[in-house]
PDB file of all heavy atoms in Angstrom:
ATOM      1  N   ASN A1022     220.607  96.103  59.048  1.00 97.00           N
ATOM      2  CA  ASN A1022     220.827  97.530  58.839  1.00 97.00           C
ATOM      3  C   ASN A1022     222.252  97.885  59.237  1.00 97.00           C
ATOM      4  O   ASN A1022     222.972  97.063  59.802  1.00 97.00           O
ATOM      5  CB  ASN A1022     219.808  98.369  59.620  1.00 97.00           C
ATOM      6  CG  ASN A1022     219.841  98.096  61.106  1.00 97.00           C
ATOM      7  OD1 ASN A1022     220.806  98.428  61.797  1.00 97.00           O
ATOM      8  ND2 ASN A1022     218.783  97.460  61.624  1.00 97.00           N
ATOM      9  N   ARG A1023     222.664  99.103  58.931  1.00 97.00           N
ATOM     10  CA  ARG A1023     224.062  99.478  59.128  1.00 97.00           C
ATOM     11  C   ARG A1023     224.437  99.692  60.588  1.00 97.00           C
ATOM     12  O   ARG A1023     225.620  99.714  60.920  1.00 97.00           O
ATOM     13  CB  ARG A1023     224.393 100.726  58.321  1.00 97.00           C
ATOM     14  CG  ARG A1023     223.619 101.988  58.682  1.00 97.00           C
ATOM     15  CD  ARG A1023     223.997 103.076  57.681  1.00 97.00           C
ATOM     16  NE  ARG A1023     223.378 104.362  57.932  1.00 97.00           N
ATOM     17  CZ  ARG A1023     222.198 104.742  57.463  1.00 97.00           C
ATOM     18  NH1 ARG A1023     221.486 103.876  56.751  1.00 97.00           N
ATOM     19  NH2 ARG A1023     221.729 105.949  57.694  1.00 97.00           N
ATOM     20  N   VAL A1024     223.482  99.844  61.454  1.00 98.00           N
ATOM     21  CA  VAL A1024     223.770 100.028  62.873  1.00 98.00           C
ATOM     22  C   VAL A1024     223.872  98.691  63.591  1.00 98.00           C
ATOM     23  O   VAL A1024     224.828  98.434  64.328  1.00 98.00           O
ATOM     24  CB  VAL A1024     222.690 100.903  63.537  1.00 98.00           C
ATOM     25  CG1 VAL A1024     222.959 101.028  65.031  1.00 98.00           C
ATOM     26  CG2 VAL A1024     222.652 102.276  62.890  1.00 98.00           C
ATOM     27  N   GLU A1025     222.904  97.814  63.386  1.00 97.00           N
ATOM     28  CA  GLU A1025     222.831  96.549  64.119  1.00 97.00           C
ATOM     29  C   GLU A1025     223.472  95.374  63.412  1.00 97.00           C
ATOM     30  O   GLU A1025     223.746  94.352  64.035  1.00 97.00           O
ATOM     31  CB  GLU A1025     221.375  96.199  64.393  1.00 97.00           C
ATOM     32  CG  GLU A1025     220.615  97.221  65.215  1.00 97.00           C
ATOM     33  CD  GLU A1025     219.150  96.863  65.318  1.00 97.00           C
ATOM     34  OE1 GLU A1025     218.436  97.026  64.309  1.00 97.00           O
ATOM     35  OE2 GLU A1025     218.720  96.417  66.396  1.00 97.00           O
ATOM     36  N   GLY A1026     223.694  95.480  62.097  1.00 97.00           N
ATOM     37  CA  GLY A1026     224.076  94.298  61.338  1.00 97.00           C
ATOM     38  C   GLY A1026     222.844  93.415  61.207  1.00 97.00           C
ATOM     39  O   GLY A1026     221.760  93.886  60.869  1.00 97.00           O
ATOM     40  N   ILE A1027     222.981  92.139  61.470  1.00 97.00           N
ATOM     41  CA  ILE A1027     221.818  91.243  61.505  1.00 97.00           C
ATOM     42  C   ILE A1027     221.158  91.381  62.873  1.00 97.00           C
ATOM     43  O   ILE A1027     221.806  91.194  63.897  1.00 97.00           O
ATOM     44  CB  ILE A1027     222.237  89.784  61.262  1.00 97.00           C
ATOM     45  CG1 ILE A1027     222.902  89.639  59.885  1.00 97.00           C
ATOM     46  CG2 ILE A1027     221.024  88.861  61.363  1.00 97.00           C
ATOM     47  CD1 ILE A1027     223.456  88.265  59.620  1.00 97.00           C
ATOM     48  N   ALA A1028     219.882  91.724  62.869  1.00 97.00           N
ATOM     49  CA  ALA A1028     219.148  91.917  64.121  1.00 97.00           C
ATOM     50  C   ALA A1028     218.034  90.887  64.222  1.00 97.00           C
ATOM     51  O   ALA A1028     217.239  90.723  63.294  1.00 97.00           O
ATOM     52  CB  ALA A1028     218.564  93.320  64.193  1.00 97.00           C
ATOM     53  N   VAL A1029     218.002  90.185  65.337  1.00 97.00           N
ATOM     54  CA  VAL A1029     216.989  89.142  65.577  1.00 97.00           C
ATOM     55  C   VAL A1029     216.056  89.632  66.677  1.00 97.00           C
ATOM     56  O   VAL A1029     216.508  90.095  67.737  1.00 97.00           O
ATOM     57  CB  VAL A1029     217.656  87.819  66.000  1.00 97.00           C
ATOM     58  CG1 VAL A1029     216.604  86.749  66.244  1.00 97.00           C
ATOM     59  CG2 VAL A1029     218.646  87.358  64.926  1.00 97.00           C
ATOM     60  N   GLY A1030     214.762  89.531  66.425  1.00 96.00           N
ATOM     61  CA  GLY A1030     213.792  90.019  67.393  1.00 96.00           C
ATOM     62  C   GLY A1030     212.708  89.009  67.706  1.00 96.00           C
ATOM     63  O   GLY A1030     212.545  88.006  67.015  1.00 96.00           O
ATOM     64  N   ALA A1031     211.977  89.272  68.755  1.00 95.00           N
ATOM     65  CA  ALA A1031     210.862  88.422  69.158  1.00 95.00           C
ATOM     66  C   ALA A1031     209.925  89.253  70.019  1.00 95.00           C
ATOM     67  O   ALA A1031     210.294  90.321  70.520  1.00 95.00           O
ATOM     68  CB  ALA A1031     211.353  87.195  69.934  1.00 95.00           C
ATOM     69  N   GLY A1032     208.721  88.756  70.198  1.00 94.00           N
ATOM     70  CA  GLY A1032     207.761  89.471  71.019  1.00 94.00           C
ATOM     71  C   GLY A1032     206.676  88.551  71.536  1.00 94.00           C
ATOM     72  O   GLY A1032     206.414  87.489  70.969  1.00 94.00           O
ATOM     73  N   VAL A1033     206.057  88.954  72.619  1.00 95.00           N
ATOM     74  CA  VAL A1033     204.937  88.214  73.184  1.00 95.00           C
ATOM     75  C   VAL A1033     203.858  89.230  73.548  1.00 95.00           C
ATOM     76  O   VAL A1033     204.135  90.404  73.843  1.00 95.00           O
ATOM     77  CB  VAL A1033     205.340  87.413  74.444  1.00 95.00           C
ATOM     78  CG1 VAL A1033     206.306  86.310  74.084  1.00 95.00           C
ATOM     79  CG2 VAL A1033     205.930  88.323  75.508  1.00 95.00           C
ATOM     80  N   ARG A1034     202.624  88.750  73.527  1.00 94.00           N
ATOM     81  CA  ARG A1034     201.494  89.599  73.888  1.00 94.00           C
ATOM     82  C   ARG A1034     200.476  88.748  74.630  1.00 94.00           C
ATOM     83  O   ARG A1034     200.124  87.663  74.173  1.00 94.00           O
ATOM     84  CB  ARG A1034     200.865  90.201  72.629  1.00 94.00           C
ATOM     85  CG  ARG A1034     199.749  91.203  72.907  1.00 94.00           C
ATOM     86  CD  ARG A1034     199.228  91.778  71.613  1.00 94.00           C
ATOM     87  NE  ARG A1034     198.159  92.718  71.819  1.00 94.00           N
ATOM     88  CZ  ARG A1034     197.489  93.309  70.844  1.00 94.00           C
ATOM     89  NH1 ARG A1034     197.807  93.035  69.579  1.00 94.00           N
ATOM     90  NH2 ARG A1034     196.514  94.158  71.119  1.00 94.00           N
ATOM     91  N   ARG A1035     200.034  89.238  75.757  1.00 95.00           N
ATOM     92  CA  ARG A1035     199.104  88.468  76.585  1.00 95.00           C
ATOM     93  C   ARG A1035     197.870  89.310  76.892  1.00 95.00           C
ATOM     94  O   ARG A1035     197.965  90.453  77.351  1.00 95.00           O
ATOM     95  CB  ARG A1035     199.774  88.047  77.900  1.00 95.00           C
ATOM     96  CG  ARG A1035     198.884  87.191  78.780  1.00 95.00           C
ATOM     97  CD  ARG A1035     199.637  86.722  80.004  1.00 95.00           C
ATOM     98  NE  ARG A1035     198.813  85.895  80.872  1.00 95.00           N
ATOM     99  CZ  ARG A1035     198.587  84.607  80.698  1.00 95.00           C
ATOM    100  NH1 ARG A1035     199.137  83.989  79.666  1.00 95.00           N
ATOM    101  NH2 ARG A1035     197.820  83.919  81.530  1.00 95.00           N
ATOM    102  N   HIS A1036     196.713  88.727  76.618  1.00 95.00           N
ATOM    103  CA  HIS A1036     195.448  89.377  76.919  1.00 95.00           C
ATOM    104  C   HIS A1036     195.082  89.076  78.378  1.00 95.00           C
ATOM    105  O   HIS A1036     194.977  87.913  78.776  1.00 95.00           O
ATOM    106  CB  HIS A1036     194.354  88.880  75.977  1.00 95.00           C
ATOM    107  CG  HIS A1036     194.607  89.221  74.539  1.00 95.00           C
ATOM    108  ND1 HIS A1036     194.363  90.471  74.012  1.00 95.00           N
ATOM    109  CD2 HIS A1036     195.100  88.463  73.511  1.00 95.00           C
ATOM    110  CE1 HIS A1036     194.691  90.478  72.726  1.00 95.00           C
ATOM    111  NE2 HIS A1036     195.144  89.279  72.404  1.00 95.00           N
ATOM    112  N   LEU A1037     194.869  90.130  79.142  1.00 95.00           N
ATOM    113  CA  LEU A1037     194.594  89.978  80.566  1.00 95.00           C
ATOM    114  C   LEU A1037     193.103  90.010  80.883  1.00 95.00           C
ATOM    115  O   LEU A1037     192.718  89.855  82.033  1.00 95.00           O
ATOM    116  CB  LEU A1037     195.303  91.090  81.352  1.00 95.00           C
ATOM    117  CG  LEU A1037     196.815  91.200  81.111  1.00 95.00           C
ATOM    118  CD1 LEU A1037     197.397  92.346  81.934  1.00 95.00           C
ATOM    119  CD2 LEU A1037     197.518  89.892  81.441  1.00 95.00           C
ATOM    120  N   GLY A1038     192.278  90.207  79.860  1.00 93.00           N
ATOM    121  CA  GLY A1038     190.836  90.251  80.064  1.00 93.00           C
ATOM    122  C   GLY A1038     190.313  91.667  80.185  1.00 93.00           C
ATOM    123  O   GLY A1038     191.063  92.609  80.503  1.00 93.00           O
ATOM    124  N   HIS A1039     189.025  91.835  79.880  1.00 93.00           N
ATOM    125  CA  HIS A1039     188.360  93.140  79.964  1.00 93.00           C
ATOM    126  C   HIS A1039     189.025  94.175  79.060  1.00 93.00           C
ATOM    127  O   HIS A1039     189.069  95.372  79.385  1.00 93.00           O
ATOM    128  CB  HIS A1039     188.333  93.653  81.406  1.00 93.00           C
ATOM    129  CG  HIS A1039     187.685  92.719  82.376  1.00 93.00           C
ATOM    130  ND1 HIS A1039     186.323  92.500  82.414  1.00 93.00           N
ATOM    131  CD2 HIS A1039     188.228  91.905  83.329  1.00 93.00           C
ATOM    132  CE1 HIS A1039     186.033  91.619  83.358  1.00 93.00           C
ATOM    133  NE2 HIS A1039     187.179  91.232  83.923  1.00 93.00           N
ATOM    134  N   GLY A1040     189.557  93.721  77.909  1.00 94.00           N
ATOM    135  CA  GLY A1040     190.163  94.621  76.940  1.00 94.00           C
ATOM    136  C   GLY A1040     191.584  95.026  77.233  1.00 94.00           C
ATOM    137  O   GLY A1040     192.154  95.846  76.502  1.00 94.00           O
ATOM    138  N   VAL A1041     192.174  94.494  78.275  1.00 97.00           N
ATOM    139  CA  VAL A1041     193.539  94.862  78.674  1.00 97.00           C
ATOM    140  C   VAL A1041     194.535  93.852  78.119  1.00 97.00           C
ATOM    141  O   VAL A1041     194.296  92.637  78.182  1.00 97.00           O
ATOM    142  CB  VAL A1041     193.662  94.939  80.208  1.00 97.00           C
ATOM    143  CG1 VAL A1041     195.089  95.287  80.612  1.00 97.00           C
ATOM    144  CG2 VAL A1041     192.673  95.949  80.775  1.00 97.00           C
ATOM    145  N   ASP A1042     195.637  94.339  77.575  1.00 96.00           N
ATOM    146  CA  ASP A1042     196.691  93.429  77.108  1.00 96.00           C
ATOM    147  C   ASP A1042     198.056  93.995  77.464  1.00 96.00           C
ATOM    148  O   ASP A1042     198.247  95.206  77.596  1.00 96.00           O
ATOM    149  CB  ASP A1042     196.583  93.165  75.602  1.00 96.00           C
ATOM    150  CG  ASP A1042     196.831  94.400  74.773  1.00 96.00           C
ATOM    151  OD1 ASP A1042     197.985  94.822  74.643  1.00 96.00           O
ATOM    152  OD2 ASP A1042     195.849  94.972  74.248  1.00 96.00           O
ATOM    153  N   LEU A1043     199.008  93.076  77.618  1.00 97.00           N
ATOM    154  CA  LEU A1043     200.382  93.401  77.969  1.00 97.00           C
ATOM    155  C   LEU A1043     201.299  92.849  76.895  1.00 97.00           C
ATOM    156  O   LEU A1043     201.167  91.685  76.493  1.00 97.00           O
ATOM    157  CB  LEU A1043     200.740  92.793  79.333  1.00 97.00           C
ATOM    158  CG  LEU A1043     202.159  93.042  79.863  1.00 97.00           C
ATOM    159  CD1 LEU A1043     202.360  94.520  80.167  1.00 97.00           C
ATOM    160  CD2 LEU A1043     202.394  92.193  81.119  1.00 97.00           C
ATOM    161  N   GLY A1044     202.208  93.663  76.387  1.00 97.00           N
ATOM    162  CA  GLY A1044     203.096  93.231  75.323  1.00 97.00           C
ATOM    163  C   GLY A1044     204.556  93.493  75.642  1.00 97.00           C
ATOM    164  O   GLY A1044     204.893  94.412  76.392  1.00 97.00           O
ATOM    165  N   LEU A1045     205.419  92.668  75.080  1.00 97.00           N
ATOM    166  CA  LEU A1045     206.865  92.816  75.228  1.00 97.00           C
ATOM    167  C   LEU A1045     207.521  92.434  73.917  1.00 97.00           C
ATOM    168  O   LEU A1045     207.229  91.386  73.350  1.00 97.00           O
ATOM    169  CB  LEU A1045     207.397  91.921  76.353  1.00 97.00           C
ATOM    170  CG  LEU A1045     208.928  91.821  76.477  1.00 97.00           C
ATOM    171  CD1 LEU A1045     209.520  93.170  76.864  1.00 97.00           C
ATOM    172  CD2 LEU A1045     209.316  90.742  77.484  1.00 97.00           C
ATOM    173  N   ARG A1046     208.371  93.298  73.408  1.00 96.00           N
ATOM    174  CA  ARG A1046     209.160  92.965  72.214  1.00 96.00           C
ATOM    175  C   ARG A1046     210.603  93.388  72.449  1.00 96.00           C
ATOM    176  O   ARG A1046     210.872  94.377  73.119  1.00 96.00           O
ATOM    177  CB  ARG A1046     208.589  93.630  70.961  1.00 96.00           C
ATOM    178  CG  ARG A1046     208.477  95.136  71.034  1.00 96.00           C
ATOM    179  CD  ARG A1046     207.910  95.710  69.745  1.00 96.00           C
ATOM    180  NE  ARG A1046     207.661  97.143  69.854  1.00 96.00           N
ATOM    181  CZ  ARG A1046     208.601  98.069  69.715  1.00 96.00           C
ATOM    182  NH1 ARG A1046     209.851  97.710  69.436  1.00 96.00           N
ATOM    183  NH2 ARG A1046     208.291  99.356  69.836  1.00 96.00           N
ATOM    184  N   ALA A1047     211.513  92.606  71.886  1.00 97.00           N
ATOM    185  CA  ALA A1047     212.936  92.875  72.059  1.00 97.00           C
ATOM    186  C   ALA A1047     213.685  92.474  70.801  1.00 97.00           C
ATOM    187  O   ALA A1047     213.238  91.617  70.034  1.00 97.00           O
ATOM    188  CB  ALA A1047     213.483  92.121  73.269  1.00 97.00           C
ATOM    189  N   ARG A1048     214.851  93.093  70.583  1.00 97.00           N
ATOM    190  CA  ARG A1048     215.657  92.833  69.394  1.00 97.00           C
ATOM    191  C   ARG A1048     217.124  92.999  69.757  1.00 97.00           C
ATOM    192  O   ARG A1048     217.496  93.903  70.509  1.00 97.00           O
ATOM    193  CB  ARG A1048     215.272  93.817  68.285  1.00 97.00           C
ATOM    194  CG  ARG A1048     215.901  93.516  66.928  1.00 97.00           C
ATOM    195  CD  ARG A1048     215.421  94.497  65.872  1.00 97.00           C
ATOM    196  NE  ARG A1048     215.961  95.842  66.071  1.00 97.00           N
ATOM    197  CZ  ARG A1048     215.277  96.857  66.559  1.00 97.00           C
ATOM    198  NH1 ARG A1048     214.010  96.707  66.918  1.00 97.00           N
ATOM    199  NH2 ARG A1048     215.855  98.054  66.705  1.00 97.00           N
ATOM    200  N   LEU A1049     217.967  92.112  69.231  1.00 97.00           N
ATOM    201  CA  LEU A1049     219.406  92.149  69.490  1.00 97.00           C
ATOM    202  C   LEU A1049     220.153  92.200  68.183  1.00 97.00           C
ATOM    203  O   LEU A1049     219.930  91.379  67.286  1.00 97.00           O
ATOM    204  CB  LEU A1049     219.839  90.910  70.289  1.00 97.00           C
ATOM    205  CG  LEU A1049     221.348  90.756  70.516  1.00 97.00           C
ATOM    206  CD1 LEU A1049     221.877  91.894  71.392  1.00 97.00           C
ATOM    207  CD2 LEU A1049     221.662  89.406  71.148  1.00 97.00           C
ATOM    208  N   GLY A1050     221.072  93.163  68.061  1.00 97.00           N
ATOM    209  CA  GLY A1050     221.889  93.279  66.870  1.00 97.00           C
ATOM    210  C   GLY A1050     223.210  92.561  67.041  1.00 97.00           C
ATOM    211  O   GLY A1050     223.840  92.646  68.099  1.00 97.00           O
ATOM    212  N   THR A1051     223.643  91.863  65.999  1.00 96.00           N
ATOM    213  CA  THR A1051     224.901  91.118  66.084  1.00 96.00           C
ATOM    214  C   THR A1051     226.111  92.039  65.980  1.00 96.00           C
ATOM    215  O   THR A1051     227.210  91.683  66.411  1.00 96.00           O
ATOM    216  CB  THR A1051     224.982  90.073  64.963  1.00 96.00           C
ATOM    217  OG1 THR A1051     224.862  90.739  63.681  1.00 96.00           O
ATOM    218  CG2 THR A1051     223.875  89.046  65.100  1.00 96.00           C
ATOM    219  N   ALA A1052     225.946  93.250  65.403  1.00 97.00           N
ATOM    220  CA  ALA A1052     227.074  94.173  65.242  1.00 97.00           C
ATOM    221  C   ALA A1052     227.193  95.141  66.414  1.00 97.00           C
ATOM    222  O   ALA A1052     228.290  95.375  66.920  1.00 97.00           O
ATOM    223  CB  ALA A1052     226.937  94.948  63.930  1.00 97.00           C
ATOM    224  N   ASP A1053     226.094  95.715  66.869  1.00 96.00           N
ATOM    225  CA  ASP A1053     226.185  96.670  67.979  1.00 96.00           C
ATOM    226  C   ASP A1053     226.059  96.000  69.340  1.00 96.00           C
ATOM    227  O   ASP A1053     226.361  96.608  70.369  1.00 96.00           O
ATOM    228  CB  ASP A1053     225.130  97.767  67.834  1.00 96.00           C
ATOM    229  CG  ASP A1053     223.709  97.237  67.951  1.00 96.00           C
ATOM    230  OD1 ASP A1053     223.510  96.012  67.949  1.00 96.00           O
ATOM    231  OD2 ASP A1053     222.789  98.070  68.049  1.00 96.00           O
ATOM    232  N   ARG A1054     225.575  94.749  69.353  1.00 96.00           N
ATOM    233  CA  ARG A1054     225.449  93.959  70.582  1.00 96.00           C
ATOM    234  C   ARG A1054     224.621  94.680  71.656  1.00 96.00           C
ATOM    235  O   ARG A1054     224.917  94.611  72.838  1.00 96.00           O
ATOM    236  CB  ARG A1054     226.833  93.593  71.137  1.00 96.00           C
ATOM    237  CG  ARG A1054     227.680  92.785  70.170  1.00 96.00           C
ATOM    238  CD  ARG A1054     229.020  92.430  70.756  1.00 96.00           C
ATOM    239  NE  ARG A1054     229.845  91.699  69.806  1.00 96.00           N
ATOM    240  CZ  ARG A1054     229.801  90.390  69.610  1.00 96.00           C
ATOM    241  NH1 ARG A1054     228.953  89.654  70.323  1.00 96.00           N
ATOM    242  NH2 ARG A1054     230.589  89.805  68.734  1.00 96.00           N
ATOM    243  N   GLU A1055     223.593  95.362  71.214  1.00 96.00           N
ATOM    244  CA  GLU A1055     222.708  96.063  72.143  1.00 96.00           C
ATOM    245  C   GLU A1055     221.280  95.545  72.003  1.00 96.00           C
ATOM    246  O   GLU A1055     220.845  95.183  70.909  1.00 96.00           O
ATOM    247  CB  GLU A1055     222.727  97.576  71.885  1.00 96.00           C
ATOM    248  CG  GLU A1055     224.038  98.245  72.254  1.00 96.00           C
ATOM    249  CD  GLU A1055     223.934  99.752  72.149  1.00 96.00           C
ATOM    250  OE1 GLU A1055     222.818 100.265  71.861  1.00 96.00           O
ATOM    251  OE2 GLU A1055     224.956 100.422  72.348  1.00 96.00           O
ATOM    252  N   VAL A1056     220.572  95.522  73.128  1.00 96.00           N
ATOM    253  CA  VAL A1056     219.173  95.098  73.145  1.00 96.00           C
ATOM    254  C   VAL A1056     218.283  96.335  73.050  1.00 96.00           C
ATOM    255  O   VAL A1056     218.503  97.329  73.739  1.00 96.00           O
ATOM    256  CB  VAL A1056     218.847  94.305  74.429  1.00 96.00           C
ATOM    257  CG1 VAL A1056     217.363  93.946  74.468  1.00 96.00           C
ATOM    258  CG2 VAL A1056     219.702  93.050  74.505  1.00 96.00           C
ATOM    259  N   LYS A1057     217.292  96.264  72.163  1.00 97.00           N
ATOM    260  CA  LYS A1057     216.285  97.322  72.059  1.00 97.00           C
ATOM    261  C   LYS A1057     214.920  96.680  72.241  1.00 97.00           C
ATOM    262  O   LYS A1057     214.750  95.481  72.061  1.00 97.00           O
ATOM    263  CB  LYS A1057     216.314  98.031  70.701  1.00 97.00           C
ATOM    264  CG  LYS A1057     217.674  98.517  70.263  1.00 97.00           C
ATOM    265  CD  LYS A1057     218.351  97.481  69.443  1.00 97.00           C
ATOM    266  CE  LYS A1057     219.800  97.862  69.135  1.00 97.00           C
ATOM    267  NZ  LYS A1057     220.509  96.693  68.549  1.00 97.00           N
ATOM    268  N   GLY A1058     213.952  97.499  72.575  1.00 96.00           N
ATOM    269  CA  GLY A1058     212.623  96.934  72.723  1.00 96.00           C
ATOM    270  C   GLY A1058     211.712  97.846  73.503  1.00 96.00           C
ATOM    271  O   GLY A1058     212.046  99.011  73.787  1.00 96.00           O
ATOM    272  N   ALA A1059     210.549  97.324  73.847  1.00 97.00           N
ATOM    273  CA  ALA A1059     209.564  98.120  74.566  1.00 97.00           C
ATOM    274  C   ALA A1059     208.592  97.209  75.296  1.00 97.00           C
ATOM    275  O   ALA A1059     208.357  96.055  74.898  1.00 97.00           O
ATOM    276  CB  ALA A1059     208.800  99.028  73.601  1.00 97.00           C
ATOM    277  N   VAL A1060     208.029  97.742  76.347  1.00 98.00           N
ATOM    278  CA  VAL A1060     206.941  97.101  77.084  1.00 98.00           C
ATOM    279  C   VAL A1060     205.700  97.961  76.884  1.00 98.00           C
ATOM    280  O   VAL A1060     205.769  99.195  77.013  1.00 98.00           O
ATOM    281  CB  VAL A1060     207.258  96.976  78.582  1.00 98.00           C
ATOM    282  CG1 VAL A1060     206.078  96.370  79.333  1.00 98.00           C
ATOM    283  CG2 VAL A1060     208.517  96.145  78.788  1.00 98.00           C
ATOM    284  N   THR A1061     204.576  97.333  76.536  1.00 98.00           N
ATOM    285  CA  THR A1061     203.347  98.085  76.298  1.00 98.00           C
ATOM    286  C   THR A1061     202.233  97.554  77.181  1.00 98.00           C
ATOM    287  O   THR A1061     202.121  96.356  77.422  1.00 98.00           O
ATOM    288  CB  THR A1061     202.901  97.983  74.830  1.00 98.00           C
ATOM    289  OG1 THR A1061     202.653  96.608  74.496  1.00 98.00           O
ATOM    290  CG2 THR A1061     203.973  98.539  73.902  1.00 98.00           C
TER     291      THR A1061
END
């Protein structure tokens, strides 16, 4: 996209049991050189 250029992302998700899960995703743009993401 025009803000990040080429952006590469990844994510992980772990089930903790009893219906609970924890997630993490992140993305880095080669043009803006900033990390974006979220923890859920």
Side-chain angles (χ1 to χ4, degrees):
N1022 58 69
R1023 62 185 183 272
V1024 177
E1025 300 174 287
I1027 300 175
V1029 180
V1033 294
R1034 185 178 179 184
R1035 183 176 180 82
H1036 296 281
L1037 305 179
H1039 303 288
V1041 179
D1042 65 75
L1043 180 66
L1045 171 65
R1046 57 180 174 81
R1048 188 177 71 256
L1049 174 65
T1051 58
D1053 65 350
R1054 301 181 182 275
E1055 291 187 4
V1056 177
K1057 309 92 187 169
V1060 177
T1061 60

